[in-house]
Amino acid sequence: MSISIDNYSENLLDIYSDKNSSAGKLEESLGKDYSEASDDELMGVCKEFEAYFAEQIFKALQKMVPESEEKSSSGTLDYFKDMMVQEYAKSATEGEGLGLAKMLYESMKRDYNT
């Protein structure tokens, strides 16, 4: 009996790609009405957006780094690389972060008149 690693990695990616993608989480959050949201909920959405924005910047920067010719891409490796980038983005936006979340929060507070 043999187990194919490629088969496993494809199944793993199918299971987790949509549920754990930061874009999916952000899209779900942005689809809500925040006119009655608490300050914490509003700031949470702003932080999510800031983390997503930082993740997209990190991914763009990562594409600029030349890859070695010896590298063979694996679906599982790419998945975990994406997870690592998501964690770096969350880390970069903790605390004061980039300042984008604070600006968005203030703008949303002004727009919702709360």
Side-chain angles (χ1 to χ4, degrees), residues 2 17 21-23 26 50-51 58 62 64 72 97 99 101 108 111:
S2 71
S17 63
S21 75
S22 56
L26 181 63
E50 184 179 47
F58 291 157
Q62 194 174 32
M64 295 173 60
S72 62
M108 289 175 80
D111 290 346

Side-chain angles (χ1 to χ4, degrees), residues 18-92:
D18 293 331
K19 294 178 186 172
N20 289 337
S21 75
S22 56
K25 289 177 186 176
L26 181 63
E27 187 175 334
E28 184 179 312
S29 293
L30 294 177
K32 296 178 182 176
D33 178 22
Y34 288 99
S35 58
E36 302 293 323
S38 69
D39 288 346
D40 290 338
E41 289 174 319
L42 210 52
M43 187 55 137
V45 171
C46 294
K47 284 286 199 181
E48 278 183 54
F49 180 78
E50 184 179 47
Y52 176 76
F53 183 75
E55 178 185 342
Q56 296 309 305
I57 291 171
F58 291 157
K59 285 181 178 180
L61 291 171
Q62 194 174 32
K63 287 179 184 177
M64 295 173 60
V65 177
E67 294 181 10
S68 69
E69 294 176 13
E70 299 171 7
K71 180 187 176 228
S72 62
S73 183
S74 137
T76 307
L77 181 62
D78 290 339
Y79 172 74
F80 286 109
K81 188 192 282 186
D82 284 344
M83 285 180 56
M84 181 185 68
V85 170
Q86 286 176 7
E87 289 303 313
Y88 283 155
K90 285 179 192 174
S91 250

